Amino acid sequence: MYLAWEAMVALIPDLYIDTMGYAFTFHVVSLLGSIPIGAYVHYPTISTDMLARVRSRRRWHTNTDAITSSTVLSQAKLIYYRIFMYYYARSLRMANFLMVNSSWTKNHIDSILQHSDFLLELVHFIPPFVLLALLAPNSGTKSARIVYPPCDTREMAKSSLDGRERVILSVAQFRPEKDHAAQLHSFQKLLEAHPEYRNQTESQVQLVLVGGSRNAEDAARVEGLKNLSRELGIQDQVVFVVNASYPTVLSWLSRASIGLSTMVDEHFGINVVEFMAAGVIPVTHASGGPLKDIVVPFNGQYTGYHAKTPEEFADALHTVLTLSKEDELALRQRARTWAVQRFSEEEFERPGMRVAGDRGCLSITGNLR
């Protein structure tokens, strides 16, 4: 909020658009300048799902065992989340328009915009909290509009669709929510059910995990995954490519047959778009953006596969690996065409301008008022 104050003191813009998730800055902008406020939300700072997990004391990567095992810590976190959610919702409602990157994000943002907390509403009738209610009226934007993010797929789309290697490729930072362990378990289930994919066979399949390691914690996670691959007995067919250069990533995308993504509730999934643009057949978790926005039918035909459990992922991987040459090539081409057409920079610009224009923030010619 201080950064927003500093910026607004230096220059009052014609239009303020937040793309970093700093909804609380809307109060500063509204106070200092009578200008339209908008936001492009990639991921909600807090969600009703997160609130529900804390309330029910369910373990998640945002709700660790240290919290769930303690009644005191769980209640303290719940109070904090309730307060944070209440003011986050009020902040979002101050915007003149809200854009989001996927159906999943829209559902969550719309839920947050409708969120209320009776106890906290009562508190705002007590001085000095009543002042906060006057400064930030609890009304405004009621829903968000979807504007898919621009994906520069030009380099990926240059790769040939023919001559692909029997490589299952994962491209994701080694963060806990990406759930690389699920990929290893799924691959182990595939090899267990279909021994013909093991080493020393003509149908040998390889799992390649390409991802960034940001710090010591990520590096330790990579070592843990390597240990897990050994425990599962698949280490000879698993390759880790850490902090690869962009040309190296492009090389793997041009060689791989299947793209694997196991993150639950991925808010969009640019890596999945890149798979498809490169002609890599996607097998993704049946949730979030990959399910509702990306790996969807195109011209009435499927563009990839979805799964939830390791067994389901193994079945989907086997299905792709046993496609006929004609069906495989057609699927690669269909996935590429859909990704390049739907998620281009041009597609991003048109609805973005239209949303702002619908809210009266832009003139008909697209210039700022």
Side-chain angles (χ1 to χ4, degrees):
M1 293 179 72
Y2 176 77
L3 183 63
W5 177 280
E6 190 176 49
M8 291 291 290
V9 167
L11 173 68
I12 301 295
D14 296 303
L15 171 66
Y16 180 86
I17 301 180
D18 164 50
T19 62
M20 296 294 290
Y22 300 151
F24 292 112
T25 62
F26 297 173
H27 300 276
V28 177
V29 175
S30 178
L31 182 65
L32 295 182
S34 181
I35 59 173
I37 297 172
Y40 185 51
V41 183
H42 300 270
Y43 196 90
T45 306
I46 189 172
S47 69
T48 50
D49 282 355
M50 292 168 65
L51 201 61
R53 287 191 191 105
V54 176
R55 183 176 283 115
S56 62
R57 297 173 67 176
R58 276 183 288 148
R59 187 187 181 282
W60 197 245
H61 56 81
T62 58
N63 199 39
T64 63
D65 288 333
I67 301 295
T68 59
S69 61
S70 169
T71 301
V72 174
L73 291 179
S74 289
Q75 287 302 310
K77 186 172 183 178
L78 180 59
I79 292 170
Y80 167 69
Y81 267 29
R82 285 179 62 183
I83 294 171
F84 193 101
M85 172 66 86
Y86 179 78
Y87 287 110
Y88 182 56
R90 291 187 75 111
S91 298
L92 287 176
R93 285 193 285 265
M94 293 182 70
N96 297 89
F97 62 92
L98 291 172
M99 299 176 288
V100 294
N101 63 349
S102 69
S103 299
W104 184 90
T105 308
K106 173 179 169 55
N107 290 340
H108 280 273
I109 291 298
D110 286 355
S111 176
I112 292 167
L113 290 170
Q114 303 303 321
H115 177 77
S116 63
D117 191 308
F118 180 71
L119 181 60
L120 290 174
E121 291 286 355
L122 288 179
V123 168
H124 283 78
F125 287 102
I126 304 172
F129 296 105
V130 68
L131 181 61
L132 292 175
L134 294 174
L135 290 175
N138 197 16
S139 62
T141 303
K142 298 298 183 184
S143 66
R145 293 272 291 273
I146 299 173
V147 179
Y148 295 123
C151 304
D152 188 356
T153 56
R154 289 170 294 184
E155 288 299 320
M156 289 89 175
K158 292 178 182 178
S159 56
S160 172
L161 298 177
D162 294 310
R164 293 304 180 103
E165 300 174 21
R166 297 176 74 79
V167 168
I168 301 169
L169 179 66
S170 166
V171 179
Q173 284 189 335
F174 289 103
R175 306 201 310 262
E177 64 270 24
K178 297 300 182 182
D179 202 2
H180 289 86
Q183 299 177 3
L184 296 177
H185 284 288
S186 299
F187 188 56
Q188 187 271 334
K189 291 293 183 183
L190 175 68
L191 298 183
E192 181 180 71
H194 302 280
E196 65 270 23
Y197 296 142
R198 288 194 175 275
N199 270 336
Q200 313 304 321
T201 66
E202 291 183 1
S203 301
Q204 174 185 332
V205 178
Q206 191 176 44
L207 174 64
V208 177
L209 283 71
V210 177
S213 175
R214 303 161 298 174
N215 48 40
E217 185 178 344
D218 284 356
R221 189 170 296 110
V222 172
E223 289 305 311
L225 291 169
K226 290 179 179 179
N227 290 334
L228 177 59
S229 71
R230 285 189 283 270
E231 292 172 13
L232 295 173
I234 58 175
Q235 71 275 12
D236 292 338
Q237 290 175 249
V238 177
V239 176
F240 290 86
V241 184
V242 182
N243 293 331
S245 64
Y246 184 60
T248 300
V249 175
L250 287 178
S251 175
W252 280 112
L253 284 168
S254 68
R255 296 161 55 189
S257 292
I258 303 173
L260 182 59
S261 176
T262 50
M263 179 176 172
V264 178
D265 288 338
E266 175 77 81
H267 51 292
F268 180 64
I270 286 181
N271 63 325
V272 179
V273 174
E274 292 174 342
F275 285 153
M276 298 169 76
V280 180
I281 298 171
V283 176
T284 75
H285 193 276
S287 64
L291 175 66
K292 296 182 178 180
D293 300 294
I294 303 175
V295 187
V296 297
F298 177 54
N299 291 335
Q301 294 181 292
Y302 59 90
T303 56
Y305 299 86
H306 303 287
K308 287 187 176 181
T309 66
E311 291 78 11
E312 290 175 357
F313 272 103
D315 289 343
L317 294 171
H318 175 62
T319 297
V320 178
L321 290 167
T322 53
L323 287 172
S324 68
K325 290 295 182 183
E326 294 77 14
D327 289 344
E328 179 185 340
L329 185 60
L331 177 51
R332 294 190 194 285
Q333 184 61 65
R334 195 160 56 243
R336 170 177 286 178
T337 302
W338 166 247
V340 172
Q341 285 183 5
R342 190 66 185 89
F343 305 107
S344 66
E345 293 182 358
E346 292 75 19
E347 284 293 317
F348 170 76
E349 291 169 0
R350 281 196 288 269
M353 295 291 280
R354 188 164 59 248
V355 171
D358 289 348
R359 295 294 186 267
C361 303
L362 301 174
S363 68
I364 295 175
T365 60
N367 296 318
L368 289 172
R369 282 181 173 172

